[in-house]
């Protein structure tokens, strides 16, 4: 039993311990007594420490998932050769999946299946984190529709660090509805995971001014980023203070990596492609556009295909959001070099915050190239046109919510150097009355980023994620109080979503349906440093 869990058990007593779900030791016992014969896909994921070559010169120390396919079609698992990212898991809707997480890290971890609708003990809540050497057995049926889901660690207070040092992969679901459209497949179905990182002179990753070797581990700072260890360093000098501020605002690296590679350049056939974009960054938002301002065709968001394609001249992509783009590279002459850029934008952080942010080598909202695409020569071939109807997407019906007239309000707040929701930080096993919902009902929630409760005029964009379900965005409003209006053009609110960007001075309303699974699930900001420092809470689904 790891320290964190022992602490929880001590704090909550034996009665609460019984509600913890499936602790590591029980999962171990379960795994030894169960055969995987009833599952379609069985994968082992070992979270390990490793070195990979990212930049010329010295290799980089990373943490990553090493994977093994124990059962299922060969296409179910694609390890990313030579990268810290991955693997890519590919399954069909309806398949039964078993995944064994084996923790080879020097600290506790757990995996969250971002966007999947699974029972609470399969969701990767931090209360299920396992210690070094332990195993957690996941088994669930994939009920989500076709879409680009993903997975990453979720231990309490150290999600940002573990994702940053490399742990993340894609979980791509296909289904019959998607198959019938004839969308690009194979090499033309291209996942693009966009991340920012900082390296030192020896090619080592720097997280909030620490290298992997120096970054606080569970033992040294088990209360997380904002815990005592960091405060001590903060007292010791300005370096610590800078680190503390960075931990509040978020990690912003000055190197943009695509699929784990710097200076990404792609050789693309003159054919239609499906580009599956994932913002896998800790805190950075991207405002994506082609340098020649060719329109972008959006066909999907977090929870899969839209009803119909959308045209945009640029799109915003907040941490953890996904966007599927359809691009026919036959429209450009062979040899054309296209640059996908992140355009300059106003992230709405004024005052002291803006000043501090300006200190980053590549501040949030600064412009930079993301990747270059070179269109190859050769036969253009027959391009299947993009269907103008993609999916039977139901229209959201806010009147079906049990609180249709009084949306629940969740203020995104900042206290004394700590984020919160309605002024409260994370509570491992707690959920308030407001955060308690009834199984089988729908509710309207409103995330408010009014910043009026902020400190020293601080306000930042937040990327709000709800575990265990897909929701619909039903409204986006200005908060109505004075302040700078941030740039929120290009935000795609259409389709099924599990993560939504809330810019400063904005309020966003979402419609959620709680079905199938009672239990304790998270909702939080996916700017991982915000999450790790308190912008995360539970909601409880009661039968
Ligand atoms: Cu992808 Cu709780 O997060
Ligand atoms: Cu945030």
């Amino acid at each position: 039993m790891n320290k964190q869990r022992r602490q929880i058990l001590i704090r909550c007593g034996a009665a609460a311990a019984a509600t913890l779900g499936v602790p590591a030791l029980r999962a171990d016992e379960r795994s030894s007594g169960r055969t995987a014969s009833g599952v379609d896909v069985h994968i082992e994921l070992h979270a390990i420490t490793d070195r990979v070559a990212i930049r010329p010169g010295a290799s980089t120390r990373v943490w990553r998932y090493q994977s093994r396919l124990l059962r299922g079609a060969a296409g179910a698992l694609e390890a990313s050769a030579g990268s810290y990212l991955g693997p890519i898991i590919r399954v069909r809707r309806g398949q039964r999946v078993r995944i064994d997480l084996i923790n080879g890290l020097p600290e506790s971890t757990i995996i969250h299946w971002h966007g999947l609708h699974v029972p609470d003990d399969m969701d990767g809540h931090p209360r299920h984190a396992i210690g070094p050497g332990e195993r957690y057995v996941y088994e669930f049926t994939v009920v989500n529709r076709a879409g680009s889901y993903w997975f990453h660690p979720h231990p309490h207070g150290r999600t940002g660090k573990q994702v940053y040092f490399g742990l993340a992969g894609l979980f791509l679901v296909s289904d019959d509805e998607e198959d019938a459209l004839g969308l690009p497949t194979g090499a033309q179905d291209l996942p693009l995971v966009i991340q920012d990182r900082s390296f030192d002179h020896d090619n080592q990753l720097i997280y909030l001014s620490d290298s992997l070797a120096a970054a606080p581990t569970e033992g040294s700072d088990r209360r997380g980023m904002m815990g005592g260890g960091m405060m001590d360093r903060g007292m010791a000098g300005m370096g610590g203070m800078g680190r503390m501020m960075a931990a509040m605002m978020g990690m912003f690296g000055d190197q943009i990596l695509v699929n784990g590679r710097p200076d990404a350049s792609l050789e693309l056939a003159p054919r239609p492609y499906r580009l599956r974009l994932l913002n896998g960054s800790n805190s950075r938002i991207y405002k994506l556009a082609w340098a020649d301002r060719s329109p972008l065709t959006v066909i999907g968001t977090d929870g899969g295909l839209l009803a119909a394609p959308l045209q945009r001249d640029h799109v915003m992509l907040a941490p953890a959001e996904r966007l599927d783009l359809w691009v026919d590279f036959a429209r450009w002459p062979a040899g054309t070099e296209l640059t996908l850029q992140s355009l300059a934008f106003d992230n709405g952080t004024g005052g002291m915050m803006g000043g501090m942010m300006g200190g980053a080598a590549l501040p949030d909202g600064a412009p930079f190239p993301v990747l270059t695409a070179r269109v190859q020569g050769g036969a253009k071939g027959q391009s299947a046109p993009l269907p103008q109807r993609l999916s039977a997407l139901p229209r959201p019906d806010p009147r079906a919510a049990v609180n249709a007239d009084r949306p629940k309000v969740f203020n995104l707040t900042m206290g004394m150097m700590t984020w919160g929701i309605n002024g409260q930080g994370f509570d491992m096993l707690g959920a308030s009355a407001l955060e308690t919902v009834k199984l089988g009902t729908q509710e309207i929630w409103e995330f408010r980023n009014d910043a009026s409760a902020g400190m020293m005029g601080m306000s930042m964009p937040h990327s709000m994620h709800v575990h265990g379900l897909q929701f619909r965005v039903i409204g986006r409003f200005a908060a109505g109080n004075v302040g700078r209006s941030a740039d929120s053009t290009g935000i795609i609110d259409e389709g099924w979503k599990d993560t939504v960007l809330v810019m400063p001075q904005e309020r966003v309303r979402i419609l959620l349906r709680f079905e199938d699974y009672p239990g304790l699930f998270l909702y939080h900001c996916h700017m991982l440093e915000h999450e790790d420092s308190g912008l995360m809470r539970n909601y409880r689904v009661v039968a």
Side-chain angles (χ1 to χ4, degrees):
M1 189 178 294
N2 65 45
K3 283 197 198 93
Q4 187 185 349
R5 181 168 306 106
R6 192 180 308 124
Q7 280 189 328
I8 295 162
L9 294 185
I10 290 167
R11 207 172 70 215
C12 306
T19 68
L20 279 181
V22 187
L25 297 178
R26 283 200 20 224
D28 255 339
E29 289 156 16
R30 272 193 346 165
S31 74
S32 57
R34 184 192 278 183
T35 69
S37 59
V39 302
D40 303 298
V41 176
H42 183 192
I43 288 168
E44 254 181 20
L45 293 177
H46 295 255
I48 60 165
T49 63
D50 203 357
R51 298 189 76 111
V52 298
I54 299 176
R55 310 207 300 176
S59 64
T60 304
R61 274 189 296 275
V62 297
W63 288 3
R64 67 181 190 88
Y65 295 116
Q66 190 175 58
S67 54
R68 265 207 317 160
L69 182 66
L70 301 179
R71 187 185 180 89
L77 184 70
E78 183 189 328
S80 333
S83 171
Y84 59 83
L85 268 179
I88 299 174
I89 296 174
R90 285 193 176 84
V91 299
R92 288 194 71 80
R93 183 179 197 174
Q95 280 189 323
R96 186 90 184 149
V97 175
R98 171 172 160 164
I99 299 168
D100 290 28
L101 166 66
I102 298 120
N103 183 4
L105 305 175
E107 61 183 38
S108 68
T109 193
I110 192 69
I111 290 177
H112 168 54
W113 311 99
H114 185 118
L116 293 189
H117 181 52
V118 293
D120 81 334
D121 59 352
M122 295 292 120
D123 184 60
H125 190 281
R127 74 190 189 277
H128 293 136
I130 55 170
E134 293 186 322
R135 174 188 301 252
Y136 198 96
V137 177
Y138 296 90
E139 191 180 316
F140 53 83
T141 301
V142 178
V143 297
N144 285 67
R145 62 202 289 267
S148 311
Y149 309 96
W150 65 299
F151 58 95
H152 60 78
H154 222 305
H156 178 42
R158 283 170 292 103
T159 296
K161 170 191 166 183
Q162 292 194 3
V163 172
Y164 185 85
F165 286 119
L167 295 163
L170 286 163
F171 192 100
L172 307 181
V173 178
S174 58
D175 66 11
D176 295 344
E177 185 193 40
E178 183 189 74
D179 287 355
L181 294 171
L183 293 173
T185 57
Q188 277 76 52
D189 178 356
L190 192 61
L192 297 172
V193 181
I194 308 173
Q195 297 175 308
D196 60 335
R197 295 290 186 267
S198 288
F199 295 87
D200 68 11
H201 294 304
D202 194 31
N203 283 350
Q204 299 311 306
L205 288 164
I206 296 299
Y207 182 62
L208 304 178
S209 79
D210 286 327
S211 68
L212 181 47
T217 58
E218 195 170 11
S220 67
D221 188 4
R222 82 174 78 88
R223 277 168 296 176
M225 298 303 315
M226 301 308 294
M230 211 174 74
M231 293 299 278
D232 294 346
R233 276 194 295 280
M235 300 305 161
M238 286 306 289
M241 189 64 193
R243 185 182 195 282
M244 194 165 69
M245 288 306 297
M248 282 303 311
M249 295 181 292
M251 170 72 212
F252 294 95
D254 55 4
Q255 287 271 308
I256 305 302
L257 307 186
V258 176
N259 295 341
R261 306 251 143 236
D263 307 315
S265 83
L266 311 167
E267 295 284 324
L268 299 174
R271 299 180 54 181
Y273 276 73
R274 176 182 189 172
L275 304 181
R276 299 184 191 244
L277 305 181
L278 159 66
N279 182 350
S281 308
N282 280 37
S283 282
R284 186 178 291 281
I285 299 168
Y286 300 88
K287 179 178 179 176
L288 300 170
W290 291 116
D292 70 358
R293 294 299 188 275
S294 295
L296 299 163
T297 303
V298 180
I299 61 169
T301 50
D302 302 342
L305 294 170
L306 299 175
L310 290 175
Q311 301 281 328
R312 290 284 189 275
D313 60 356
H314 66 269
V315 292
M316 299 289 275
L317 197 62
E321 281 190 312
R322 288 84 73 205
L323 274 181
D324 277 22
L325 303 180
W326 185 91
V327 194
D328 188 354
F329 288 98
R331 65 177 286 171
W332 291 281
T336 304
E337 274 204 2
L338 292 156
T339 304
L340 186 67
Q341 297 180 318
S342 188
L343 306 176
F345 65 92
D346 175 5
N347 77 354
T349 56
M352 174 185 163
M353 242 347 213
M356 302 281 308
M357 301 279 311
L362 189 62
D364 196 26
F368 49 81
V370 173
L371 61 82
T372 315
R374 223 177 69 86
V375 182
Q376 296 170 328
K380 299 221 167 191
Q382 298 216 323
S383 301
L386 177 64
Q388 287 313 293
R389 293 311 304 169
L390 295 171
S391 176
L393 199 70
R395 200 180 277 282
D397 178 13
R399 288 160 309 159
V402 293
N403 64 338
D405 303 325
R406 346 151 235 120
K408 284 185 175 176
V409 173
F410 298 89
N411 290 293
L412 312 177
T413 53
M414 145 96 57
M416 276 307 290
M417 299 309 286
T418 169
W419 295 104
I421 299 175
N422 288 335
Q424 293 180 294
F426 185 55
D427 174 2
M428 184 68 86
L429 298 174
S432 68
L434 186 77
E435 294 163 330
T436 303
V437 303
K438 216 163 164 282
L439 188 66
T441 66
Q442 297 187 63
E443 289 195 359
I444 300 173
W445 289 8
E446 183 173 303
F447 294 122
R448 291 190 178 172
N449 197 2
D450 294 8
S452 51
M455 188 180 76
M456 294 177 282
M458 282 193 187
S459 67
M460 282 199 72
H462 297 291
S463 184
M464 296 305 296
H465 170 47
V466 183
H467 277 221
L469 50 76
Q470 294 287 325
F471 55 75
R472 301 294 294 271
V473 178
I474 56 170
R476 180 179 289 276
F477 318 96
N481 55 6
V482 283
R484 302 177 60 186
S485 66
D487 183 350
S488 63
T489 62
I491 295 179
I492 311 288
D493 284 331
E494 280 81 1
W496 289 105
K497 299 279 297 164
D498 53 54
T499 307
V500 64
L501 177 56
V502 190
M503 295 299 279
Q505 317 305 334
E506 275 191 337
R507 299 175 176 184
V508 173
R509 265 186 208 177
I510 62 174
L511 177 66
L512 313 95
R513 181 195 293 273
F514 310 99
E515 52 189 356
D516 304 320
Y517 308 124
L520 199 62
F521 298 89
L522 298 167
Y523 70 104
H524 60 85
C525 179
H526 220 287
M527 287 159 178
L528 300 179
E529 289 70 39
H530 300 185
E531 165 185 341
D532 282 339
S533 56
L535 222 167
M536 174 159 80
R537 295 277 305 168
N538 290 310
Y539 71 97
R540 189 187 306 279
V541 184
V542 296

